[in-house]
Every structure is written in C-alpha cells, then in structure tokens.
Amino acid sequence: MGLFRFNWNKEGPGVPKDAPRKKGAARFFEIVARDYSQIWLSGLILLVCAVPMIVSVVFGVLSWPYLGLVGIAALVFLVSNVLVGPALAAMHTLIVKQLCDEPCFFWHAYKKAWKSCWKQATLISMLFSAICGMECVAAVLHLFSGGSTNPILLGMIMLGLYIAVVSWLYSLLQLSQMDIKTGPLLKNSLLLTMGFLKRSLPAGLIVLAVGAGMILFFPLTLLLAFLGIPAFAALIVDMWAWPVMEQVFHISDLRAERREKERAEEEAAQA
C-alpha cells in the first residue's frame, strides 16, 4: 500500500472483547487522551469555585498581625466550602465514571452529581478544610517561631495532615457513589485511610505534594490550575484510591443496581 493510498474503509483489528484494561501510566494516558476536555473542564470549574477560598487565604496571610481580620478570613474560608465541596464531589464523580469507562454527558452528569450531595459535600469539606488549615498554621508557627525545630512535633503535624487529606478523599468518593449518612461515612473514611496504606499512602503523598507546590509557587500555580494540573493529579489519586472502594464496597454492583432503578423509573414515567 502506498504512503497516500490508505483504505480508510477497511476494518482494523479492533479491540478484543475480553481484553484487560491497561494499568499504570498506560491507563492514565489512555483516559487523558479520551476524556481530556471533561477532566480539564471539571478542574476549571473547581478553580472558579475556589476563588473565594484562595482570596481568603491570601487576605489572612497579609492580615496576620490583626486577629480580627484573620478571623474574618477564616470565616470566609469555611463558608467558601459551599462551592468548593460540591465542586470536588462532582469532579471525583466524573473521574470515577472515566475510570469505569462509563460514557456520560458532561453537564448532565456534573449537575446531577452537584445536586445529589451538595449538603454533605459542603459539611464534610468544611470539616476537613478546617483541620487541614489548622495543621498548616501549626506547621508554619512551629517552623517560623524562631526556636529549634522539633522533628517529632513536625512529624505529628504532617501525620495529622495526611490522615485529614486521605480521609477527605475517601469521603468524596463515598459521596459520589453511595447513599450514606455523614457519621458512618466519616468512620469508613478513617478506617480506609488506616487500613489500606499500600494504596492510601501514595494517594495521600500525591495530594500533599500538589498542595505544597500550589502554596509554595503561588501565584504561578494559578496558571497551572487553569491548565488542569490539579484535576489530572486527582485522576492519578483516584487511580490509587478507587480499587480500595471497589474492594470494600463492591461499587460496580451498586452502580448496576442504581442504573437498573433509574431505567425502571424512566420507563414508569413514560408509561
């Protein structure tokens, strides 16, 4: 066949029906090549929703000597989770769909995910963002207090931060796939964080590394956030954490039952 005589109508070999999914980096690039626009857009929406939180942090840092202004910044920081929490939950919902090779219309799936869990997502994000904020403030005060650094105390702060971010991650994944009350959800998140270190530890370290980079290189990191770097980092994190969810909760079975229920409801509404 000549260089410019390709027969585009000829069928290719295709993909075997029972071909196993790719793993690791190959799987990541496969999803990115297929769903780049959806991942980027979900990350962009999260960035827009996080603007009040970012502004409150900057304002709090600049107003550090004035406790009243710092208190206002902390309040705005917490309230901004009304936007950040549902945006995080919706982003992880779409990423899980992509991990499961489940096709979806972006706006329909995003709005549905937002509406279905925005109250719990807001509450949970308020809790964990407050814990993470206090841990970060404790680390800064310890490092810049002028005294000697206590590695044990610093290690305990980092451990608390790690537990908080990974528990936050598992909470969001449960919100996106399960109908569960807040108390059991938080308990499950903590148990998953401590009981599956083989996968939880890499996921947590990635979150901490990305978060530290976003803080240290601010405001340059706003450009990286616009390019979708946090969203693609979330994809990598979910690739580590999602098998734990599947192993413990058998999410695929729950998703199949949910789809059957929704299909039955749609048929009943049309009848």
Side-chain angles (χ1 to χ4, degrees):
M1 181 179 293
L3 181 61
F4 301 103
R5 293 184 180 179
F6 290 108
N7 180 7
W8 301 107
N9 294 321
K10 183 179 179 180
E11 295 183 357
V15 179
K17 182 178 180 180
D18 299 325
R21 285 177 178 170
K22 297 178 181 179
K23 296 182 180 180
R27 177 63 173 163
F28 171 79
F29 287 111
E30 178 186 44
I31 295 175
V32 170
R34 184 190 64 201
D35 300 311
Y36 175 87
S37 60
Q38 292 192 3
I39 299 173
W40 175 79
L41 188 55
S42 63
L44 180 62
I45 296 173
L46 175 60
L47 175 62
V48 173
C49 291
V51 168
M53 181 176 284
I54 296 171
V55 172
S56 68
V57 172
V58 174
F59 182 76
V61 172
L62 296 178
S63 307
W64 185 255
Y66 308 98
L67 293 181
L69 295 178
V70 172
I72 294 174
L75 180 62
V76 174
F77 178 84
L78 287 178
V79 173
S80 63
N81 283 287
V82 173
L83 296 174
V84 173
L88 279 170
M91 181 182 71
H92 283 284
T93 299
L94 288 173
I95 289 177
V96 168
K97 286 180 177 293
Q98 292 152 5
L99 288 174
C100 297
D101 297 323
E102 181 178 327
C104 67
F105 295 102
F106 178 84
W107 288 113
H108 173 74
Y110 194 92
K111 288 188 292 184
K112 183 178 179 181
W114 184 294
K115 291 180 181 179
S116 66
C117 63
W118 74 269
K119 291 182 180 179
Q120 271 188 300
T122 298
L123 179 62
I124 288 170
S125 294
M126 281 184 174
L127 172 64
F128 285 115
S129 64
I131 294 174
C132 291
M134 289 188 291
E135 295 286 355
C136 290
V137 170
V140 171
L141 290 177
H142 179 66
L143 291 173
F144 296 97
S145 62
S148 59
T149 301
N150 186 332
I152 298 178
L153 178 59
L154 192 59
M156 293 299 293
I157 293 174
M158 295 306 297
L159 177 61
L161 192 57
Y162 161 79
I163 293 174
V165 297
V166 179
S167 297
W168 194 354
L169 169 64
Y170 281 124
S171 296
L172 292 171
L173 291 177
Q174 289 178 81
L175 278 179
S176 69
Q177 304 299 322
M178 302 168 61
D179 184 11
I180 183 172
K181 293 183 178 180
T182 303
L185 182 145
L186 294 174
K187 178 182 177 181
N188 291 342
S189 299
L190 184 59
L191 292 176
L192 292 173
T193 299
M194 305 304 294
F196 293 87
L197 286 177
K198 184 178 180 179
R199 287 194 166 272
S200 299
L201 183 59
L205 292 178
I206 292 171
V207 174
L208 292 176
V210 173
M214 296 292 287
I215 294 172
L216 292 175
F217 297 102
F218 183 86
L220 176 62
T221 47
L222 291 177
L223 174 60
L224 299 179
F226 177 78
L227 295 176
I229 299 303
F232 292 109
L235 172 59
I236 298 175
V237 169
D238 284 358
M239 289 177 66
W240 279 102
W242 180 248
V244 175
M245 294 288 295
E246 186 65 58
Q247 177 183 344
V248 175
F249 299 112
H250 307 288
I251 301 295
S252 295
D253 296 336
L254 295 177
R255 291 164 67 88
E257 293 176 2
R258 182 183 301 177
R259 285 194 296 268
E260 289 296 331
K261 182 179 179 181
E262 292 175 352
R263 188 179 297 110
E265 292 175 352
E266 292 176 358
E267 293 176 353
Q270 295 175 357

